[in-house]
Amino acid sequence: MENVHDNVAYRKAQQLIEWRRYKEALKEAEQLLSEEPENPDVFALISQIHLLMDEYDKALYWSNQALTREPEHELAWFVRVGVYYDTNQDRECKEAIQEALRIDPYEPHYYFLQAHLYIKIDRPNQAKTALSQALELRPESPVYLALLSYTEALLKNYEDSARVEKLALKNNTELSQVFLYLGWAAGERGEYKLKETYMRNAIRLNPDSKLYQEEFLEALQHNEVLFKVFLWPGKFVRKMKTWQILLTWVVAVFLFRPLLILFLVLYVLSHWVTKAIVHVKVFGWRRRGI
C-alpha cells in the first residue's frame, strides 16, 4: 500500500495547516479518508485539524479512531494530550503524557506540558526538572526558556531568572507566549514596569486572547502609583525565607494588629480603586470590551 504521507491530498492538507487554513485542510483530509478509509494516519490528521480548531470533542473522537487501529500512533497521542491539557483535565492529561512519552520519549512538548501541570499545583522544582528535559531536546526554544525564567522566579532564583530571560529574548521571533511568560517572571521578581512592557508586546501579538487581556490590565494596575505603595513591601518579602515571613507575620499580628488591619483594608481599597482607574484609562466610561 502506498505511504499516505506521499499522497498529494495529505501533503496539501499539511501545507494548509501551516497556513492556518484549517477548514480547507479538513476538506482535503476528508477527501483522503474516502480513499483511505482504514488508515490511522488519516484519522490522526483529522484529529489534529480539529484540535487546532479548538473542536475538542471531535479531536478526541478522531484520535481514538486512529488509536483503535494503531494503539501507539504518535500524532494521535499528541492530539489526545493536547485535548486534555486545553480542556483542563489535568489528571487525564498527566496519564496521557506518561503513555505518550513511553511511545515518543524524544518529544519535548510533553515535558513542557508537564512543567505547566507542576506549576499549577505549586511544585516549581519538579517544573524546573521537566523544563530541563525539554531544553535538552530543544535547547534554543524561546518558549521553554521563557517558562524556565518564570519557574526560576517562583523559586526565588531571581538572578537565574533574569539570565534565562535574556536567552529567551535572544531566541524569540515575536512569539506572544514568550512575552507572556517573561511578563509573569518579571512580575514575580517585582519588576512591574518590565512586566507591563512584556504584556503590552504579548497582547499586541495576540489581541483576542482573554488571558492576555487580563494580564495586560493587571500589569497596568501594578504600575499605578497608588497601588505601587502597597506593592513596595513585597520587594522585601521576596528576599525573605519562608520561616522569616511566618515569623514577621506572627510578630505583626501581636504587636501591630491595628496597623496591620488598616494596611489590609487600604490594600483592598487601593486594588479596586486602581482597577477602576485602569478600566477608565483603557475603555473610558463604558463597559469593558476589548
Side-chain angles (χ1 to χ4, degrees):
M1 185 176 65
E2 180 186 6
N3 188 336
V4 73
H5 292 261
D6 296 329
N7 188 291
V8 173
Y10 190 94
R11 295 201 304 269
K12 186 176 181 181
Q14 290 284 12
Q15 183 62 72
L16 289 167
I17 289 172
E18 290 183 17
W19 291 339
R20 299 186 180 183
R21 291 159 58 178
Y22 302 132
K23 290 184 179 180
E24 295 174 56
L26 185 59
K27 289 182 180 179
E28 292 294 332
E30 290 172 344
Q31 173 62 34
L32 185 59
L33 182 63
S34 66
E35 302 171 13
E36 300 276 354
E38 291 298 320
N39 195 310
D41 290 347
V42 180
F43 289 108
L45 176 64
I46 293 174
S47 72
Q48 179 189 20
I49 297 170
H50 282 299
L51 175 63
L52 292 168
M53 296 172 69
D54 297 335
E55 297 175 350
Y56 299 116
D57 289 341
K58 292 180 180 179
L60 191 59
Y61 169 79
W62 288 103
S63 67
N64 286 337
Q65 291 296 313
L67 292 171
T68 297
R69 291 159 176 80
E70 187 177 326
E72 296 191 351
H73 196 286
E74 291 182 3
L75 179 57
W77 274 104
F78 189 92
V79 170
R80 189 168 189 168
V81 168
V83 168
Y84 289 143
Y85 180 80
D86 287 352
T87 55
N88 295 312
Q89 299 182 64
D90 293 349
R91 181 177 61 80
E92 291 83 354
C93 184
K94 181 179 178 182
E95 293 173 355
I97 287 175
Q98 291 297 326
E99 182 63 15
L101 278 172
R102 184 188 66 79
I103 295 166
D104 185 9
Y106 300 108
E107 174 50 63
H109 188 65
Y110 295 141
Y111 298 107
F112 170 71
L113 294 184
Q114 276 186 331
H116 264 288
L117 294 176
Y118 282 129
I119 288 172
K120 285 178 72 173
I121 58 176
D122 195 26
R123 292 184 180 176
N125 279 308
Q126 288 92 328
K128 182 177 178 179
T129 299
L131 284 169
S132 297
Q133 292 173 296
L135 285 164
E136 283 182 12
L137 296 166
R138 197 168 294 167
E140 296 185 355
S141 168
V143 175
Y144 299 169
L145 288 167
L147 187 60
L148 179 59
S149 177
Y150 175 53
T151 304
E152 294 284 17
L154 291 174
L155 291 166
K156 298 187 178 182
N157 300 329
Y158 299 134
E159 290 184 4
D160 288 336
S161 174
R163 177 182 56 80
V164 177
E165 171 190 72
K166 292 178 182 178
L167 292 175
L169 288 171
K170 179 181 177 182
N171 297 330
N172 188 24
T173 55
E174 290 289 273
L175 296 172
S176 61
Q177 200 173 7
V178 171
F179 289 119
L180 176 70
Y181 296 151
L182 293 182
W184 286 347
E188 199 66 31
R189 298 194 304 263
E191 300 174 22
Y192 298 113
K193 191 63 181 177
L194 184 59
K195 177 182 179 180
E196 180 184 333
T197 300
Y198 286 141
M199 292 308 178
R200 190 180 296 276
N201 279 318
I203 199 169
R204 170 178 60 83
L205 295 167
N206 193 355
D208 297 326
S209 169
K210 185 176 179 181
L211 172 62
Y212 288 22
Q213 293 170 11
E214 294 288 345
E215 293 293 339
F216 177 57
L217 292 176
E218 182 180 284
L220 290 176
Q221 183 181 1
H222 285 169
N223 278 296
E224 287 293 323
V225 176
L226 177 60
F227 203 62
K228 276 175 141 181
V229 172
F230 292 93
L231 291 175
W232 178 75
K235 292 184 178 181
F236 300 98
V237 172
R238 272 186 287 274
K239 297 178 182 179
M240 299 169 65
K241 299 183 184 298
T242 303
W243 69 267
Q244 292 174 321
I245 296 173
L246 291 174
L247 180 61
T248 302
W249 180 258
V250 171
V251 171
V253 168
F254 278 99
L255 299 181
F256 307 105
R257 184 176 299 178
L259 291 176
L260 183 61
I261 293 173
L262 178 62
F263 179 86
L264 292 174
V265 170
L266 291 176
Y267 173 83
V268 172
L269 182 62
S270 71
H271 170 80
W272 290 107
V273 169
T274 53
K275 193 177 183 72
I277 291 172
V278 167
H279 182 99
V280 172
K281 284 183 177 180
V282 175
F283 306 109
W285 295 97
R286 61 183 176 84
R287 290 194 169 202
R288 179 179 172 182
I290 290 182

